């Protein structure tokens, strides 16, 4: 499974050659949509059901890997309705109890970490919102993280996927702690894939954040910098192990309507025929506002993150942690030529009610914010993200 | 499965009460030997074969968990000869291809990390050496790391098991890198459980080392220090995830004859009727000599470890990395009242040939030393470890 752009490129060729060499009978599906929708998921599911495959190989970014997870799930549970496994409250969020087929994920971008997680995200067209399927059962069996696959990524794809890693690390490190979630699920099978920050996810979040701080700018600016690109590819998987277990919160929760309500934005370096806000960009644009908002709960973690990203915190006051992290992020994004806020990608104040409305159903992640938020809070966060610099 | 000391204590009671409460039919085996032997493994295996159990729960330190792994393995592979799965060259080191039953490990010490690894170590009585079984297949299904279980550990058990964590972290961080092992196995099924240091094991090794540096002394000195004991309990599992994948090298390779050839040493705080050198002590006593020897290969990693353990390296020269780490370790051990070298636990120069001979078959780990070693090198390392201070 891959997409049309990748189907002619070396990462896919390597897989096809290997399957052929070892006499493994296969079919290729290359109709994955970048930033997938319910329709594109259903098309892949139909293909998988018909093929009755013994195993799957997904070669691509998060869109491909997520689509393959969904195809594997519904082909393994053929009588299920599509909404059965979609996150509540949009879908029914049923636990997965059927066995799935093995899925080998070969990521070609350095951002999503999808090869390590039990999450598959898509645009629900009718509702104009992004949602997903979240279950440990759909986690790939194996990830093959080959840094050579990232050497051909265009500049903006490196940047936007790197911003996803940055937010995975920051959000999972500041997420509600695992022992503060409530209510407890009545049975372990009902535990969410996202459990809250914990001593193990913290290790991965901090480690990934240190790599982002050291290598993201180099990886964006110099496509020949193998050390930087390989390090970011690993950081993507490392952050994935962390957030795939701890979860993300407001940047991701608010990103889904930012992507879902896209107007005419056509990002540089993306070879697609439809408007889209790349996932990493939709996530990072609200990050200064979000961390200024959440810092009052775990200020020391926010300050630690700012320090890792280069802030001098020797004379910082703990109560300024949020502003310091927000300023550090603004500087980081400015240096990397990121669009100047939501206004620069086509939104205005008039869109805020719709953006808030699209965030409200994202409870799976917004509930993991360390600070609870009202609709007014969400409005203020979108407004503060209209312009960054 | 547990040992006689633990069978009356809260960690075992908690499990028995839970099994009873939920109506699960069970039998208890409490005949595990602390520092197990081939005979004690075989006794547990016989019990497991007869019981035809659906699942196992191991409650105890590394001795209990390792014995339970072996019982599960041979009960699941009833026609195998005991030597079939024992590490080569002592046994046949066959790959495990049979499915095992679920094993839940509940560690009550903070050292072995056995709940996270695919390794089971025992004393081979006839040969007077320690060896083991190593396969990802015997890794427990689940570990339950309850810090309350460590609050009743006596002082020396905290110390010795903590030294095991220290050496797991230091050895796995300095082990031969995964891409420098040779020759490559002809088939992935023949890959060793210990793969060499790698970007993922490095994360765990460094993280565990930082916890040891911060908390081990507090955990030893104050049994009421819950934060310290809980942190060391997690560090044990974290270091286990690292070394269970990367491996250990000379401290562990040399520790097996140090334990196996024990004379009359009876350690404080161990309630057993036989002489024994606790595993963690047998490992740590050679650590200053070992890291002085290996530092020339990755001096910057040795220096980084010394800094984490408290050394001031601002003016250090890279070529002194080994001496600096060795001195840091000696100071660390002196502060914790560790016996003054191998002489203090009953060995003399005359024992060195036997200690070397007992190390030679430990290729599974000694081959992971970043610096290859001759018999003369091993002799010199044992000699340098006779007296530490």
């Amino acid at each position: 499974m891959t997409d049309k752009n990748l189907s002619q490129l070396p990462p896919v060729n390597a897989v096809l050659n290997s399957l052929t060499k070892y006499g493994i009978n296969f079919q290729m599906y290359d109709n994955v949509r970048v930033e997938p929708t319910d329709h594109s998921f259903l098309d892949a599911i139909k293909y998988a059901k018909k093929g009755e495959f013994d195993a799957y190989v997904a070669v691509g970014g998060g869109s491909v890997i997520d689509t393959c997870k969904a195809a594997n799930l519904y082909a393994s549970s053929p009588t299920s309705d599509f909404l059965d496994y979609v996150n509540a409250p949009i879908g029914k969020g049923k636990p997965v109890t059927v066995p799935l087929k093995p899925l080998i994920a070969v990521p070609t971008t350095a951002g999503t970490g999808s090869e390590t997680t039990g999450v598959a995200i898509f645009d629900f067209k009718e509702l104009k919102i992004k949602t997903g399927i979240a279950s440990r059962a759909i986690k790939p069996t194996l990830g093959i993280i080959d840094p050579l696959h990232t050497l051909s990524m265009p500049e903006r794809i490196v940047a936007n996927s790197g911003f996803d890693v940055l937010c995975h690390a920051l959000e999972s490190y500041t997420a509600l702690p695992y022992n503060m979630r409530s209510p407890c699920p009545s049975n372990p099978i009902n535990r969410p894939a996202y459990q809250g920050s914990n001593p193990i996810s913290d290790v991965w979040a901090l480690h990934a954040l240190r790599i982002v701080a050291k290598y993201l700018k180099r990886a964006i600016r110099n496509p020949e910098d193998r050390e930087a690109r390989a390090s970011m590819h690993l950081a993507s998987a490392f952050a994935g192990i962390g957030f795939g277990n701890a979860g993300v919160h407001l940047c991701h929760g608010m990103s889904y309507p930012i992507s879902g309500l896209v107007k005419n934005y056509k990002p540089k370096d993306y070879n697609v025929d439809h408007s889209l806000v790349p996932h990493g960009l939709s996530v990072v644009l609200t990050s200064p506002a979000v961390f200024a908002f959440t810092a009052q709960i775990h200020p020391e973690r926010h300050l630690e993150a700012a320090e890792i990203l280069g802030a001098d915190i020797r004379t910082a006051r703990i109560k300024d942690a949020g502003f310091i992290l927000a300023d550090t992020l603004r500087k980081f994004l400015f240096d990397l030529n990121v669009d100047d806020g939501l206004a620069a990608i086509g939104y205005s104040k008039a869109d805020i009610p719709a953006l808030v409305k699209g965030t409200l159903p994202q409870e799976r992640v917004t509930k993991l914010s360390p600070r609870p938020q009202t609709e007014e809070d969400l409005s203020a966060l979108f407004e503060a993200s209209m312009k960054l610099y």
Side-chain angles (χ1 to χ4, degrees), chain A residues 130 187 220 235 290 344:
Chain A
K130 278 211 174 187
N187 184 305
I220 292 171
V290 162

Side-chain angles (χ1 to χ4, degrees), chain A residues 270-292:
Chain A
Y270 287 74
N271 181 19
V272 290
D273 58 7
H274 50 92
S275 299
L276 70 85
V277 184
H279 173 64
L281 184 63
S282 72
V283 164
V284 87
L285 288 177
T286 61
S287 64
V290 162
F291 295 109

